[in-house]
Amino acid sequence: MGCGRVGSTLARGLERRGHAVSVIDQSADSFRRLGSEFSGHTYKGVGFDRDVLLKAGIRTTDGFAAVASGDNSNILAARVVREEFGVQNVVARIYDQGRAEVYEKLGIPTVATVRWSAGQVMNRLLDDTATPVWRDPSGTTALYQVPFSPEWAGTPVKGIEHRLHLRVPFLTRLGTGMVPTRDVLVQEGDVLYVAVASERIGSVFETLSNAPEQA
């Protein structure tokens, strides 16, 4: 639902991967963003209208993305699709951070563009805070981008994992992402991502912000 820049890009990307795609939008003009090569179906209407959803094939769909420009429309559509039609693979784009957290706890995964972008920018500017990149719907586990003291450079990933009781699923080095083996040494300038229980991120950040011998 939603054929703005995000929705149209998503629809074209899914189609290129071999998926059958239906797009819902209140404005027929929005479908122009899909381009002439798009072979999916388009439906004019609101994404929480039962009749529109049925025409779009909601009964047989494998997933639903609510990426319109309004939080209320996205939330309502996501709930209708999940609660009335039983579609479990539902994602909603939510701009308001408070609402996003509420709906994640209700089991509706959300993508809060403003929250993610602001967090990334702040982390790069200040380099003094752990930035959540992803949280599971219950909020108990998260993936964080964590700055570290230069003194940790030369420490093997397995050493960090063992000492802090967490996982380092990936890092970026010189702008390139990599899945490190446990023997890879952390280098100054790396961007480190850790998977850890949310309640422990404070102690993890404090440990990594100090030199290893001080931690």
Side-chain angles (χ1 to χ4, degrees):
M1 182 191 82
C3 195
R5 285 179 294 178
V6 173
S8 58
T9 301
L10 177 62
R12 293 193 303 269
L14 288 170
E15 189 174 67
R16 282 195 297 270
R17 296 190 178 198
H19 296 279
V21 182
S22 294
V23 182
I24 301 171
D25 197 283
Q26 296 185 65
S27 172
D29 290 339
S30 298
F31 299 137
R32 296 177 181 175
R33 295 189 177 96
L34 296 168
S36 59
E37 297 183 358
F38 181 74
S39 60
H41 300 282
T42 57
Y43 299 88
K44 182 178 181 298
V46 294
F48 48 84
D49 184 290
R50 182 183 178 87
D51 291 335
V52 173
L53 288 168
L54 287 170
K55 290 178 182 177
I58 197 65
R59 294 286 192 194
T60 57
T61 191
D62 294 317
F64 180 83
V67 292
S69 59
D71 282 5
N72 291 335
S73 296
N74 290 337
I75 290 170
L76 184 55
R79 294 195 63 179
V80 168
V81 168
R82 186 159 191 171
E83 296 171 11
E84 293 193 21
F85 293 99
V87 179
Q88 296 302 308
N89 188 15
V90 175
V91 180
R93 181 176 70 169
I94 307 296
Y95 287 94
D96 185 283
Q97 178 177 345
R99 289 181 175 181
E101 292 176 352
V102 168
Y103 281 91
E104 283 178 354
K105 291 179 180 179
L106 290 177
I108 298 177
T110 63
V111 177
T113 308
V114 174
R115 176 183 61 185
W116 188 89
S117 299
Q120 296 298 306
V121 172
M122 184 176 295
N123 188 70
R124 294 302 179 91
L125 285 175
L126 302 180
D127 199 30
D128 66 352
T129 183
T131 303
V133 176
W134 173 88
R135 282 195 182 96
D136 80 292
S138 70
T140 58
T141 305
L143 180 66
Y144 287 89
Q145 178 182 314
V146 185
F148 58 90
S149 171
E151 283 83 359
W152 285 91
T155 304
V157 167
K158 65 181 178 183
I160 293 177
E161 292 183 329
H162 178 74
R163 182 164 184 173
L164 277 71
H165 305 290
L166 49 71
R167 290 291 180 267
V168 180
F170 68 97
L171 58 83
T172 59
R173 177 171 294 169
L174 300 176
T176 302
M178 62 181 294
V179 178
T181 64
R182 300 184 72 229
D183 293 325
V184 165
L185 304 182
V186 174
Q187 297 182 8
E188 187 173 355
D190 286 352
V191 179
L192 198 64
Y193 293 84
V194 302
V196 65
S198 299
E199 63 183 14
R200 293 191 54 238
I201 190 57
S203 62
V204 169
F205 169 71
E206 183 177 358
T207 300
L208 289 175
S209 63
N210 293 299
E213 61 273 12
Q214 296 174 335

